[in-house]
Amino acid sequence: MERMGGEVVWEGRIGKVRVDRFRYDDGEEAEREIVEHPGSAGVVAHDGETLYLVRQPRDPVNDPALLELPAGKLDEEGEAPLDTAKRELAEEIGKGARSWQHITSFYTSPGFTDEECHLFIATNLYDEQADPDENERIEIVAVPLSDLDPVIRDCRDSKTLVGLLWLRASLNR
Amino acid sequence: MERMGGEVVWEGRIGKVRVDRFRYDDGEEAEREIVEHPGSAGVVAHDGETLYLVRQPRDPVNDPALLELPAGKLDEEGEAPLDTAKRELAEEIGKGARSWQHITSFYTSPGFTDEECHLFIATNLYDEQADPDENERIEIVAVPLSDLDPVIRDCRDSKTLVGLLWLRASLNR
């Protein structure tokens, strides 16, 4: 598969929409629309007893307050995903962590966007100052780790499902 | 949070990009860009010994052949997710299933798109005719269920990770 070229057809704050032309190995050519995204990072943060999640209004989906991992977009300047994860944990939860482990990275919807989401587990937590500008509509939700199964059952967000199912598998290992 | 109105700013084959205006409960107003998506359905299909996945080229992400669940978009006419799942299992794997179980539905990236992905487990499989038009670039990958952990470790696609981690949890219960 060879990329023949592309053009930006729309540009906004969430990114650009690009139309790319491709030639497949069998010679056939095709066009594909792609929503460009800088990538994102999310954090499964727990202290062995309590898991720290956030609730926030999400305009695109008709869900008043989705339960999610603390997470955010990579800075446009090509921020390292671990730095994004540390920044979001501090801004949204008001915590730092002494132990960080990368668990997986995945494409959220590879049929139409290049968004790659990087997930980390953060443990050995300590208090940091939350950023009041960033989290005025974010509610911190502290969940007992013993409630992991019902939280997973009610979860409606891809990165949060992946992170909590991964945590569940590692705790039961 | 109240939606005040919106306008379509770009339209293509993958859907529309809409800019919505919102008023939060505290009176502040904001705009949000949303990529509209009809939704999707994916299938964790196995016969107790073998799991059926697909490899296909994905132009938006720089990954020549991502390993994924058989899956597809809901038809624009508001197809029921289970019907999409049955259609994709037949078209991409050439199988039907006598047992279907809905496992979860989630938003792939709720910060910028309304795409909701519905996952099903399909068992008691039987052979059906694959659709040659639909799958010329799709390779069927049959994986022993005993290889679930290494497949999960290498997986880079959100719906596939959620589906296989969910399957893993249900097999170990």
Side-chain angles (χ1 to χ4, degrees):
Chain A
M1 191 169 82
E2 184 189 0
R3 184 164 172 270
M4 311 287 293
E7 62 171 322
V8 173
V9 291
W10 180 78
E11 182 166 1
R13 280 167 299 184
I14 53 169
K16 296 171 184 169
V17 178
R18 213 173 66 214
V19 177
D20 280 4
R21 287 191 311 284
F22 286 90
R23 186 182 292 144
Y24 290 99
D25 296 343
D26 57 14
E28 196 182 326
E29 295 190 11
E31 278 190 354
R32 176 72 81 156
E33 299 160 356
I34 296 166
V35 179
E36 293 185 0
H37 191 287
S40 53
V43 188
V44 179
H46 74 87
D47 60 11
E49 292 193 344
T50 302
L51 175 72
Y52 293 93
L53 301 172
V54 295
R55 250 186 228 287
Q56 59 183 317
R58 286 299 206 176
D59 311 337
V61 302
N62 199 9
D63 200 317
L66 216 56
L67 200 61
E68 297 180 58
L69 300 180
K73 282 199 279 193
L74 307 194
D75 271 355
E76 283 168 44
E77 302 82 18
E79 186 177 36
L82 179 57
D83 291 338
T84 311
K86 290 179 175 177
R87 179 164 50 77
E88 295 294 338
L89 183 62
E91 283 180 2
E92 298 191 351
I93 306 287
K95 297 274 184 195
R98 289 186 191 85
S99 303
W100 288 89
Q101 184 199 349
H102 174 253
I103 51 176
T104 187
S105 295
F106 59 87
Y107 298 105
T108 56
S109 193
F112 81 95
T113 177
D114 62 2
E115 179 184 9
E116 188 174 11
C117 178
H118 308 273
L119 291 186
F120 299 87
I121 290 188
T123 50
N124 292 311
L125 306 179
Y126 55 88
D127 289 342
E128 275 205 352
Q129 186 68 46
D131 183 333
D133 286 345
E134 290 290 334
N135 63 9
E136 36 182 44
R137 289 191 189 85
I138 293 183
E139 174 200 353
I140 299 172
V141 180
V143 178
L145 268 186
S146 54
D147 283 353
L148 198 51
D149 280 354
V151 169
I152 288 170
R153 208 178 309 125
D154 292 342
C155 180
R156 311 288 313 276
D157 171 57
S158 72
K159 66 180 172 302
T160 309
L161 268 170
V162 171
L164 297 188
L165 284 164
W166 200 287
L167 174 65
R168 187 187 186 283
S170 72
L171 292 176
N172 291 347
R173 200 157 275 153
Chain B
M1 189 170 84
E2 186 189 1
R3 184 164 172 269
M4 312 288 293
E7 62 171 322
V8 172
V9 292
W10 180 80
E11 182 165 1
R13 280 166 297 184
I14 53 169
K16 296 172 184 169
V17 179
R18 211 173 69 215
V19 177
D20 280 5
R21 286 190 311 285
F22 286 91
R23 185 182 291 142
Y24 290 99
D25 296 343
D26 58 12
E28 196 182 325
E29 294 190 11
E31 278 191 353
R32 177 71 82 156
E33 299 160 356
I34 296 166
V35 179
E36 293 185 0
H37 192 286
S40 53
V43 187
V44 179
H46 74 88
D47 60 10
E49 291 193 346
T50 302
L51 174 72
Y52 292 93
L53 301 172
V54 294
R55 251 186 226 287
Q56 59 184 317
R58 286 299 205 176
D59 311 337
V61 303
N62 199 9
D63 200 318
L66 216 56
L67 199 61
E68 297 180 59
L69 301 180
K73 283 199 279 191
L74 307 195
D75 270 357
E76 284 168 43
E77 301 82 19
E79 186 177 37
L82 178 58
D83 291 338
T84 311
K86 289 179 175 176
R87 179 164 49 77
E88 295 293 339
L89 183 63
E91 283 181 1
E92 297 191 351
I93 307 287
K95 297 274 185 195
R98 288 186 193 86
S99 303
W100 288 89
Q101 184 198 349
H102 173 253
I103 52 175
T104 187
S105 295
F106 60 87
Y107 299 105
T108 56
S109 192
F112 81 96
T113 177
D114 62 2
E115 180 183 7
E116 188 173 11
C117 179
H118 308 272
L119 291 187
F120 299 86
I121 290 187
T123 50
N124 292 311
L125 306 179
Y126 55 87
D127 289 341
E128 276 207 350
Q129 186 69 44
D131 183 332
D133 286 344
E134 290 290 332
N135 64 9
E136 35 182 47
R137 288 189 189 85
I138 293 183
E139 173 199 354
I140 300 172
V141 180
V143 178
L145 268 187
S146 55
D147 283 351
L148 198 51
D149 280 355
V151 169
I152 289 171
R153 209 178 309 124
D154 292 341
C155 179
R156 310 291 312 277
D157 170 57
S158 72
K159 67 180 172 302
T160 309
L161 267 170
V162 171
L164 298 187
L165 284 163
W166 200 288
L167 174 66
R168 185 186 188 282
S170 72
L171 293 176
N172 291 347
R173 198 159 276 154

PDB file of all heavy atoms in Angstrom, chain B residues 5-20:
ATOM      1  N   GLY B   5     -27.362  24.979  19.599  1.00  0.00           N
ATOM      2  CA  GLY B   5     -27.466  24.936  18.145  1.00  0.00           C
ATOM      3  C   GLY B   5     -26.160  24.440  17.573  1.00  0.00           C
ATOM      4  O   GLY B   5     -25.199  24.210  18.306  1.00  0.00           O
ATOM      5  N   GLY B   6     -26.144  24.238  16.267  1.00  0.00           N
ATOM      6  CA  GLY B   6     -24.916  23.754  15.654  1.00  0.00           C
ATOM      7  C   GLY B   6     -24.993  23.886  14.154  1.00  0.00           C
ATOM      8  O   GLY B   6     -26.064  24.102  13.590  1.00  0.00           O
ATOM      9  N   GLU B   7     -23.835  23.783  13.500  1.00  0.00           N
ATOM     10  CA  GLU B   7     -23.845  23.814  12.037  1.00  0.00           C
ATOM     11  C   GLU B   7     -22.817  22.821  11.496  1.00  0.00           C
ATOM     12  O   GLU B   7     -21.779  22.569  12.124  1.00  0.00           O
ATOM     13  CB  GLU B   7     -23.563  25.219  11.498  1.00  0.00           C
ATOM     14  CG  GLU B   7     -22.214  25.756  11.878  1.00  0.00           C
ATOM     15  CD  GLU B   7     -21.864  27.062  11.149  1.00  0.00           C
ATOM     16  OE1 GLU B   7     -22.200  27.195   9.955  1.00  0.00           O
ATOM     17  OE2 GLU B   7     -21.239  27.937  11.781  1.00  0.00           O
ATOM     18  N   VAL B   8     -23.137  22.251  10.340  1.00  0.00           N
ATOM     19  CA  VAL B   8     -22.224  21.323   9.677  1.00  0.00           C
ATOM     20  C   VAL B   8     -21.173  22.149   8.927  1.00  0.00           C
ATOM     21  O   VAL B   8     -21.510  23.018   8.130  1.00  0.00           O
ATOM     22  CB  VAL B   8     -22.996  20.412   8.706  1.00  0.00           C
ATOM     23  CG1 VAL B   8     -22.031  19.581   7.864  1.00  0.00           C
ATOM     24  CG2 VAL B   8     -23.952  19.508   9.482  1.00  0.00           C
ATOM     25  N   VAL B   9     -19.887  21.903   9.245  1.00  0.00           N
ATOM     26  CA  VAL B   9     -18.811  22.689   8.623  1.00  0.00           C
ATOM     27  C   VAL B   9     -18.058  21.894   7.557  1.00  0.00           C
ATOM     28  O   VAL B   9     -17.298  22.459   6.774  1.00  0.00           O
ATOM     29  CB  VAL B   9     -17.822  23.210   9.685  1.00  0.00           C
ATOM     30  CG1 VAL B   9     -18.508  24.252  10.575  1.00  0.00           C
ATOM     31  CG2 VAL B   9     -17.280  22.075  10.536  1.00  0.00           C
ATOM     32  N   TRP B  10     -18.234  20.575   7.536  1.00  0.00           N
ATOM     33  CA  TRP B  10     -17.607  19.760   6.485  1.00  0.00           C
ATOM     34  C   TRP B  10     -18.390  18.463   6.382  1.00  0.00           C
ATOM     35  O   TRP B  10     -18.910  17.963   7.380  1.00  0.00           O
ATOM     36  CB  TRP B  10     -16.134  19.461   6.823  1.00  0.00           C
ATOM     37  CG  TRP B  10     -15.460  18.632   5.760  1.00  0.00           C
ATOM     38  CD1 TRP B  10     -14.957  19.057   4.566  1.00  0.00           C
ATOM     39  CD2 TRP B  10     -15.252  17.206   5.788  1.00  0.00           C
ATOM     40  NE1 TRP B  10     -14.452  17.999   3.858  1.00  0.00           N
ATOM     41  CE2 TRP B  10     -14.621  16.856   4.577  1.00  0.00           C
ATOM     42  CE3 TRP B  10     -15.551  16.200   6.711  1.00  0.00           C
ATOM     43  CZ2 TRP B  10     -14.271  15.553   4.274  1.00  0.00           C
ATOM     44  CZ3 TRP B  10     -15.208  14.896   6.401  1.00  0.00           C
ATOM     45  CH2 TRP B  10     -14.568  14.577   5.196  1.00  0.00           C
ATOM     46  N   GLU B  11     -18.493  17.931   5.185  1.00  0.00           N
ATOM     47  CA  GLU B  11     -19.203  16.668   5.011  1.00  0.00           C
ATOM     48  C   GLU B  11     -18.464  15.805   3.996  1.00  0.00           C
ATOM     49  O   GLU B  11     -18.076  16.288   2.924  1.00  0.00           O
ATOM     50  CB  GLU B  11     -20.631  16.944   4.518  1.00  0.00           C
ATOM     51  CG  GLU B  11     -21.444  15.676   4.374  1.00  0.00           C
ATOM     52  CD  GLU B  11     -22.946  15.934   4.234  1.00  0.00           C
ATOM     53  OE1 GLU B  11     -23.349  17.109   4.229  1.00  0.00           O
ATOM     54  OE2 GLU B  11     -23.685  14.950   4.112  1.00  0.00           O
ATOM     55  N   GLY B  12     -18.236  14.541   4.348  1.00  0.00           N
ATOM     56  CA  GLY B  12     -17.549  13.623   3.435  1.00  0.00           C
ATOM     57  C   GLY B  12     -18.120  12.233   3.591  1.00  0.00           C
ATOM     58  O   GLY B  12     -19.199  12.048   4.159  1.00  0.00           O
ATOM     59  N   ARG B  13     -17.398  11.227   3.101  1.00  0.00           N
ATOM     60  CA  ARG B  13     -17.924   9.868   3.167  1.00  0.00           C
ATOM     61  C   ARG B  13     -17.892   9.305   4.576  1.00  0.00           C
ATOM     62  O   ARG B  13     -18.717   8.485   4.952  1.00  0.00           O
ATOM     63  CB  ARG B  13     -17.126   8.946   2.231  1.00  0.00           C
ATOM     64  CG  ARG B  13     -17.555   9.082   0.782  1.00  0.00           C
ATOM     65  CD  ARG B  13     -16.544   8.431  -0.126  1.00  0.00           C
ATOM     66  NE  ARG B  13     -15.253   9.111  -0.009  1.00  0.00           N
ATOM     67  CZ  ARG B  13     -14.179   8.829  -0.727  1.00  0.00           C
ATOM     68  NH1 ARG B  13     -14.212   7.875  -1.610  1.00  0.00           N
ATOM     69  NH2 ARG B  13     -13.061   9.498  -0.569  1.00  0.00           N
ATOM     70  N   ILE B  14     -16.889   9.721   5.395  1.00  0.00           N
ATOM     71  CA  ILE B  14     -16.840   9.198   6.763  1.00  0.00           C
ATOM     72  C   ILE B  14     -17.913   9.829   7.641  1.00  0.00           C
ATOM     73  O   ILE B  14     -18.187   9.342   8.735  1.00  0.00           O
ATOM     74  CB  ILE B  14     -15.454   9.406   7.435  1.00  0.00           C
ATOM     75  CG1 ILE B  14     -15.017  10.873   7.372  1.00  0.00           C
ATOM     76  CG2 ILE B  14     -14.419   8.490   6.840  1.00  0.00           C
ATOM     77  CD1 ILE B  14     -13.807  11.174   8.249  1.00  0.00           C
ATOM     78  N   GLY B  15     -18.527  10.906   7.204  1.00  0.00           N
ATOM     79  CA  GLY B  15     -19.562  11.562   8.001  1.00  0.00           C
ATOM     80  C   GLY B  15     -19.426  13.071   7.927  1.00  0.00           C
ATOM     81  O   GLY B  15     -18.830  13.600   6.988  1.00  0.00           O
ATOM     82  N   LYS B  16     -19.993  13.741   8.925  1.00  0.00           N
ATOM     83  CA  LYS B  16     -19.989  15.198   8.958  1.00  0.00           C
ATOM     84  C   LYS B  16     -19.161  15.687  10.140  1.00  0.00           C
ATOM     85  O   LYS B  16     -19.061  15.017  11.156  1.00  0.00           O
ATOM     86  CB  LYS B  16     -21.416  15.717   9.141  1.00  0.00           C
ATOM     87  CG  LYS B  16     -22.351  15.383   8.009  1.00  0.00           C
ATOM     88  CD  LYS B  16     -23.787  15.755   8.373  1.00  0.00           C
ATOM     89  CE  LYS B  16     -24.733  15.311   7.241  1.00  0.00           C
ATOM     90  NZ  LYS B  16     -26.138  15.414   7.634  1.00  0.00           N
ATOM     91  N   VAL B  17     -18.582  16.878   9.981  1.00  0.00           N
ATOM     92  CA  VAL B  17     -18.015  17.575  11.126  1.00  0.00           C
ATOM     93  C   VAL B  17     -18.970  18.706  11.462  1.00  0.00           C
ATOM     94  O   VAL B  17     -19.358  19.490  10.589  1.00  0.00           O
ATOM     95  CB  VAL B  17     -16.604  18.131  10.827  1.00  0.00           C
ATOM     96  CG1 VAL B  17     -16.075  18.877  12.055  1.00  0.00           C
ATOM     97  CG2 VAL B  17     -15.657  17.009  10.434  1.00  0.00           C
ATOM     98  N   ARG B  18     -19.386  18.767  12.720  1.00  0.00           N
ATOM     99  CA  ARG B  18     -20.382  19.714  13.186  1.00  0.00           C
ATOM    100  C   ARG B  18     -19.753  20.591  14.258  1.00  0.00           C
ATOM    101  O   ARG B  18     -18.923  20.109  15.044  1.00  0.00           O
ATOM    102  CB  ARG B  18     -21.509  18.903  13.815  1.00  0.00           C
ATOM    103  CG  ARG B  18     -22.907  19.475  13.735  1.00  0.00           C
ATOM    104  CD  ARG B  18     -23.887  18.440  14.266  1.00  0.00           C
ATOM    105  NE  ARG B  18     -23.712  18.259  15.697  1.00  0.00           N
ATOM    106  CZ  ARG B  18     -23.859  17.108  16.339  1.00  0.00           C
ATOM    107  NH1 ARG B  18     -24.180  16.014  15.691  1.00  0.00           N
ATOM    108  NH2 ARG B  18     -23.681  17.036  17.638  1.00  0.00           N
ATOM    109  N   VAL B  19     -20.097  21.861  14.275  1.00  0.00           N
ATOM    110  CA  VAL B  19     -19.694  22.718  15.393  1.00  0.00           C
ATOM    111  C   VAL B  19     -20.947  23.043  16.199  1.00  0.00           C
ATOM    112  O   VAL B  19     -21.900  23.630  15.668  1.00  0.00           O
ATOM    113  CB  VAL B  19     -18.994  24.007  14.909  1.00  0.00           C
ATOM    114  CG1 VAL B  19     -18.660  24.901  16.102  1.00  0.00           C
ATOM    115  CG2 VAL B  19     -17.722  23.664  14.134  1.00  0.00           C
ATOM    116  N   ASP B  20     -20.969  22.616  17.454  1.00  0.00           N
ATOM    117  CA  ASP B  20     -22.117  22.833  18.339  1.00  0.00           C
ATOM    118  C   ASP B  20     -21.815  23.946  19.327  1.00  0.00           C
ATOM    119  O   ASP B  20     -20.676  24.113  19.762  1.00  0.00           O
ATOM    120  CB  ASP B  20     -22.432  21.555  19.141  1.00  0.00           C
ATOM    121  CG  ASP B  20     -23.214  20.533  18.330  1.00  0.00           C
ATOM    122  OD1 ASP B  20     -23.431  20.787  17.130  1.00  0.00           O
ATOM    123  OD2 ASP B  20     -23.579  19.494  18.899  1.00  0.00           O
TER     124      ASP B  20
END
